[in-house]
Amino acid sequence: MEGDNTIDNVSTGIRVISKSSGTANLTIMGEGSLDASGSQYGISIQSNDGDVALSIQAADVTTTATGIAIPAGVYLHPDINCDASLSVEGGSLTATVSAADATYHEGIRFIFGGGFNDPGTSRLTISNHAIVWANGGISVNSNNSDLEVGADST
């Protein structure tokens, strides 16, 4: 990715979905910036039969959910017994819900197909001087979470 890039005035800025089988992955890379906003999600990655992954490499990404009906800046939704990962390697991620009267306000949301008892793992990895800002926090509805922050990142 190069330069300044914007996606707005949609329900979801970027949506990756695997409806029938397999994983759903998105990699955003390059020295540019991306501002993805939508009324429901800034970025949504969902698999109905596998893992999900979002990787940001050296890019500066801002996601904003502007609506009030269960919004999230970044939404990661794997199938039952599957994993969700978010990695930011260099660059930055700022994830926000902007509506003050929104039902939820998590900047980043991991939602597993099996709910709170789902054995899937959520993994957030921050490295290579990266910065992650989840305005409103990070929510996970699984018992298995892993956060890795490199000594050179925040």
Side-chain angles (χ1 to χ4, degrees), residues 22-80:
T23 62
N25 300 306
L26 174 64
T27 299
I28 301 169
M29 60 192 326
E31 298 296 320
S33 67
L34 171 64
D35 185 352
S37 64
S39 58
Q40 190 168 15
Y41 307 117
I43 295 176
S44 169
I45 303 178
Q46 177 180 348
S47 176
N48 293 340
D49 189 37
D51 300 336
V52 299
L54 171 59
S55 175
I56 298 170
Q57 301 171 1
D60 292 319
V61 177
T62 300
T63 65
T64 305
T66 60
I68 61 171
I70 314 175
V74 172
Y75 178 81
L76 301 168
H77 186 262
D79 194 22
I80 297 170

Side-chain angles (χ1 to χ4, degrees), residues 9-137:
N9 296 318
V10 293
S11 67
T12 299
I14 296 174
R15 173 169 285 179
V16 177
I17 186 166
S18 174
K19 291 186 177 185
S20 59
S21 65
T23 62
N25 300 306
L26 174 64
T27 299
I28 301 169
M29 60 192 326
E31 298 296 320
S33 67
L34 171 64
D35 185 352
S37 64
S39 58
Q40 190 168 15
Y41 307 117
I43 295 176
S44 169
I45 303 178
Q46 177 180 348
S47 176
N48 293 340
D49 189 37
D51 300 336
V52 299
L54 171 59
S55 175
I56 298 170
Q57 301 171 1
D60 292 319
V61 177
T62 300
T63 65
T64 305
T66 60
I68 61 171
I70 314 175
V74 172
Y75 178 81
L76 301 168
H77 186 262
D79 194 22
I80 297 170
N81 299 323
C82 294
D83 299 329
S85 67
L86 169 58
S87 65
V88 183
E89 305 165 39
S92 65
L93 170 63
T94 302
T96 302
V97 173
S98 65
D101 55 347
T103 309
Y104 299 96
H105 287 92
E106 298 94 357
I108 299 170
R109 182 178 307 139
F110 292 89
I111 296 291
F112 289 81
F116 288 103
N117 294 319
D118 193 303
T121 299
S122 59
R123 181 166 292 111
L124 172 60
T125 305
I126 306 167
S127 63
N128 196 19
H129 303 281
I131 298 170
V132 173
W133 175 256
N135 188 4

